[in-house]
Amino acid sequence: MKKFWRISVLTLVSVLSACSSLERVGAPQSAVSSTTDLQRNGRFAVLVYDKTQDKNIDSVQGNFEWLSAGERVVLDLSSPLGQVLARINVQPGLSQLTRSNGEVLEASSPDALVREVIGRQFPVSGLQYWIRGQAMPGVALETPEYDAQQRLVKFVQAGWVVTAQDYDGMGPKRFHLLNNQTMERITIRIVMN
């Protein structure tokens, strides 16, 4: 179970307090009104391949519900059967992960939270921009590719190769993220409902 939490945070904190008895993060679409507000839900899959052992060492699948309003993001991570396993709350200066057992972990940023939970540095803050089809501000954007509507479809940023497909009015509906490190390769697939 510890691996699930490491991977789930790595995957989708990728930016951003829930017991399974808490209500889901989702709000009616009409409640998401500002251009900075976003509500998305979907599925994710993570695969970690250990290059030294030449084999897959972790894989996780699940569902997510994402709601951002201004600078606040709330992200529910749930099992494939829909049970909420954790909630991630991000606001300026504070990021919290609350597990279904009530344990709360806090840090000053999403990246710091991931570092605390898994013990490694990962540039996860990009997801709050990538989910909208935007590049992270202030971070070098390498080899950007655009579609006919000038939307980002492939680029490298903060060590991640990001491929975005099937845009709708809120951003890409499909993502493929690849982080190729010396010892391991992390592949993340995200599909919006």
Side-chain angles (χ1 to χ4, degrees):
M1 200 62 159
K2 184 175 181 180
K3 287 182 182 179
F4 176 82
W5 293 115
R6 282 192 341 228
I7 299 300
S8 295
V9 170
L10 167 64
T11 306
L12 295 173
V13 167
S14 323
V15 266
L16 310 187
S17 326
C19 296
S20 56
S21 61
L22 291 178
E23 289 186 34
R24 293 193 170 290
V25 72
Q29 189 63 33
S30 61
V32 180
S33 57
S34 159
T35 57
T36 62
D37 295 352
L38 181 68
Q39 181 181 2
R40 297 294 259 188
N41 60 58
R43 301 174 313 279
F44 69 90
V46 180
L47 181 64
V48 179
Y49 177 82
D50 186 315
K51 294 178 178 180
T52 63
Q53 298 178 42
D54 195 26
K55 68 178 184 176
N56 296 330
I57 56 171
D58 266 329
S59 66
V60 176
Q61 298 179 54
N63 302 309
F64 69 91
E65 291 187 51
W66 171 301
L67 179 62
S68 57
E71 295 185 55
R72 183 168 184 241
V73 175
V74 179
L75 174 67
D76 281 350
L77 301 175
S78 59
S79 72
L81 297 176
Q83 178 188 16
V84 178
L85 300 171
R87 178 169 290 158
I88 300 158
N89 281 296
V90 175
Q91 54 193 321
L94 178 65
S95 296
Q96 289 183 320
L97 171 89
T98 304
R99 296 179 174 166
S100 60
N101 66 3
E103 179 184 7
V104 178
L105 301 170
E106 294 183 348
S108 60
S109 71
D111 292 328
L113 183 62
V114 169
R115 191 171 49 249
E116 180 181 330
V117 172
I118 66 171
R120 289 188 260 174
Q121 180 72 34
F122 284 94
V124 296
S125 294
L127 190 58
Q128 66 183 312
Y129 298 98
W130 301 342
I131 198 170
R132 298 170 193 274
Q134 303 170 353
M136 274 191 295
V139 178
L141 180 67
E142 302 170 36
T143 62
E145 296 177 20
Y146 299 89
D147 66 10
Q149 290 78 34
Q150 293 304 301
R151 300 176 298 205
L152 277 170
V153 293
K154 188 170 184 181
F155 57 95
V156 177
Q157 196 170 37
W160 291 90
V161 177
V162 180
T163 305
Q165 302 172 323
D166 300 332
Y167 274 78
D168 64 13
M170 294 181 279
K173 292 174 63 177
R174 294 179 179 275
F175 283 99
H176 180 265
L177 307 174
L178 176 66
N179 186 278
N180 209 359
Q181 301 173 25
T182 304
M183 306 292 276
E184 63 186 13
R185 179 178 62 235
I186 303 167
T187 304
I188 303 169
R189 294 187 188 276
I190 301 172
V191 178
M192 309 298 173
N193 291 340

